[in-house]
Amino acid sequence: MKTLDDCRIAIDAIDNEILKLLNDRMKVVGKVGEIKSESGGTIYRPEREKAIIDRLEGQSKESEGVLNRNAIEAIFLEIFAVSRNLELPEKIAYLGPEGTFTHQAAESRFGAMSDYISLGSIYSVFKTLEAKRAKFGVVPIENSKDGIVGETLDLLAKSSVKIVAELYMPIHMSFVTKATSIEKITKIYSKDKGFGQCREFLAEHGLVNVDQIPVDSTAKAAILASEDPDAAAICSHIAAKLYGVPTMFENIEDAHDSSTRFVILSDFKNAKSEDDKTSILVRLKDGVEAGALVHFLQDFDEENINLSKIESRPSKDKSGFGYWFYIDFYGHIDEKRIQRVLDKHGSEVTWLGSYVNGDNNEV
């Protein structure tokens, strides 16, 4: 290939072959959907998707290909999403409105073609799933800077839905406005935490004394900025793009390593993979013997089960439980070593889900 036209002809030929292969793949997907429909199998299989990406990453390395894991994920997660929609279209509920980071997280796993339901609260997401008005729900569970999302934990404690997947997403803020210059901005909209995360930027650009108006979400901030040429918003880039507000500055957050962990909720149990995580709720009754929590955790240590998180929460019921603990650990609920630990504690433990470990798979 000596000329640009030669390169374009080669690319067109390759694209034609890619399209043919994708159509072939989708025909097989259709057959998979028929089989699962007859057997009642689950359409979304995070452990299967991870295994495919792991295999393709290894193959790319062996062949010295230019695509790394992030590039492979970007391409194939969308292919997986299209495939699922062909197998069985499902509704996905998420904490809205449209353009929030939760919306962005949902689209990263379920693609642009899925049928999304934007809801105004985490509680509404849980109720929608419990009423079978949606198959999947996406909600935040913790932020690396602000800590745990208490409402999500409290609802997991009493809901029938389970965690079926997790994903970690970097949180980057943009400063967006229709104003022609920063000096013309008279007000800034954002969520209260948005202002808190961007104090240094606001000080550096002389915006500390500009009227800062907190709203329910960064997406709402983008909507308001789109309607007022003298206003700005601190929001996600997806919200700015969605509501047509030009971006003046990107990545304006004070700490650039902030990320949020989201969980995907549904009503099924995942099969085991090579790298799983399990979440449980541990309730310790008032008046138990001293060191009850220590003894509980020692059982995990004896079975060589590594914990990744433990979070205490005050009990809100009247059944005599003074407090409870949310615990994440590595492994699947069906592993014998984990069953041995949990069998010792019976009704003290509530299983919240086993799912593919997403620690090292940021979108």
Side-chain angles (χ1 to χ4, degrees):
M1 291 180 287
K2 296 181 179 180
T3 67
L4 181 59
D5 285 341
D6 291 337
C7 292
R8 287 173 173 168
I9 291 171
I11 288 173
D12 288 346
I14 294 169
D15 286 345
N16 291 341
E17 185 63 20
I18 290 173
L19 180 61
K20 178 185 178 300
L21 292 172
L22 285 174
N23 277 315
D24 290 344
R25 187 187 199 278
M26 296 310 165
K27 290 176 183 177
V28 178
V29 164
K31 182 61 178 177
V32 170
E34 292 175 9
I35 295 170
K36 287 184 177 179
S37 179
E38 293 173 359
S39 65
T42 301
I43 298 298
Y44 183 42
R45 293 286 304 278
E47 76 282 0
R48 167 65 176 157
E49 294 181 0
K50 181 179 183 297
I52 292 173
I53 290 173
D54 288 345
R55 176 176 58 79
L56 294 175
E57 180 189 17
Q59 184 176 324
S60 186
K61 287 179 179 178
E62 288 178 8
S63 63
E64 298 183 349
V66 297
L67 296 181
N68 60 19
R69 185 181 185 90
N70 288 338
I72 292 168
E73 282 191 337
I75 295 167
F76 277 85
L77 287 177
E78 192 65 32
I79 292 174
F80 297 154
V82 173
S83 299
R84 287 195 299 270
N85 275 280
L86 290 178
E87 287 184 57
L88 180 64
E90 298 281 11
K91 288 184 171 64
I92 297 97
Y94 69 93
L95 175 63
E98 194 176 15
T100 59
F101 288 108
T102 309
H103 178 209
Q104 187 175 336
E107 279 206 345
S108 76
R109 285 299 178 267
F110 294 99
M113 287 180 58
S114 293
D115 188 1
Y116 292 98
I117 304 173
S118 171
L119 296 169
S121 68
I122 294 173
Y123 172 80
S124 296
V125 174
F126 275 82
K127 295 305 292 183
T128 297
L129 293 177
E130 290 167 356
K132 307 297 183 183
R133 293 192 295 270
K135 180 66 175 179
F136 301 101
V138 183
V139 295
I141 194 169
E142 65 176 311
N143 178 269
S144 59
K145 302 299 180 184
D146 299 321
I148 206 75
V149 179
E151 184 180 2
T152 298
L153 288 193
D154 292 342
L155 289 166
L156 279 169
K158 54 189 178 183
S159 177
S160 60
V161 302
K162 303 298 181 186
I163 301 172
V164 299
E166 67 171 358
L167 62 110
Y168 292 76
M169 190 174 76
I171 301 301
H172 298 302
M173 294 291 191
S174 297
F175 188 80
V176 307
T177 182
K178 288 187 172 180
T180 55
S181 67
I182 199 168
E183 291 77 18
K184 294 184 178 180
I185 295 170
T186 60
K187 61 182 77 72
I188 305 171
Y189 297 103
S190 190
K191 197 171 181 179
D192 51 359
K193 289 183 179 180
F195 290 117
Q197 292 169 355
C198 304
R199 290 193 184 96
E200 293 178 8
F201 168 84
L202 295 172
E204 289 168 359
H205 291 82
L207 296 167
V208 173
N209 294 322
V210 174
D211 194 12
Q212 298 178 7
I213 305 173
V215 292
D216 292 338
S217 68
T218 55
K220 178 65 174 179
I223 293 172
L224 293 170
S226 73
E227 299 169 347
D228 186 348
D230 297 326
I234 295 174
C235 64
S236 68
H237 72 87
I238 191 175
K241 182 177 180 180
L242 186 63
Y243 299 111
V245 192
T247 298
M248 185 173 283
F249 299 99
E250 294 182 338
N251 300 336
I252 66 168
E253 63 279 358
D254 298 341
H256 295 293
D257 59 348
S258 176
S259 65
T260 295
R261 177 189 176 204
F262 297 90
V263 290
I264 298 174
L265 307 170
S266 195
D267 59 358
F268 60 89
K269 181 181 183 181
N270 286 315
K272 287 191 290 185
S273 78
E274 297 295 321
D275 184 17
D276 290 310
K277 188 186 288 185
T278 292
S279 298
I280 60 173
L281 189 69
V282 182
R283 299 173 183 264
L284 299 177
K285 292 184 178 181
D286 292 331
V288 295
E289 64 182 49
L293 178 61
V294 173
H295 295 151
F296 180 84
L297 297 179
Q298 282 177 341
D299 291 334
F300 281 84
D301 183 56
E302 290 173 2
E303 294 287 350
N304 294 315
I305 301 170
N306 292 326
L307 273 61
S308 62
K309 185 173 189 64
I310 179 167
E311 182 86 18
S312 64
R313 294 288 295 170
S315 173
K316 295 185 179 181
D317 58 35
K318 298 179 181 180
S319 59
F321 295 104
Y323 54 94
W324 51 265
F325 296 90
Y326 170 84
I327 298 175
D328 289 335
F329 57 86
Y330 296 110
H332 192 281
I333 187 70
D334 289 340
E335 292 181 33
K336 291 182 179 179
R337 60 185 181 131
I338 292 171
Q339 283 294 314
R340 284 194 294 268
V341 173
L342 300 186
D343 286 347
K344 292 181 181 180
H345 299 276
S347 61
E348 290 182 324
V349 177
T350 300
W351 174 66
L352 303 179
S354 294
Y355 45 90
V356 172
N357 174 22
D359 284 352
N360 299 315
N361 294 311
E362 293 184 353
V363 297

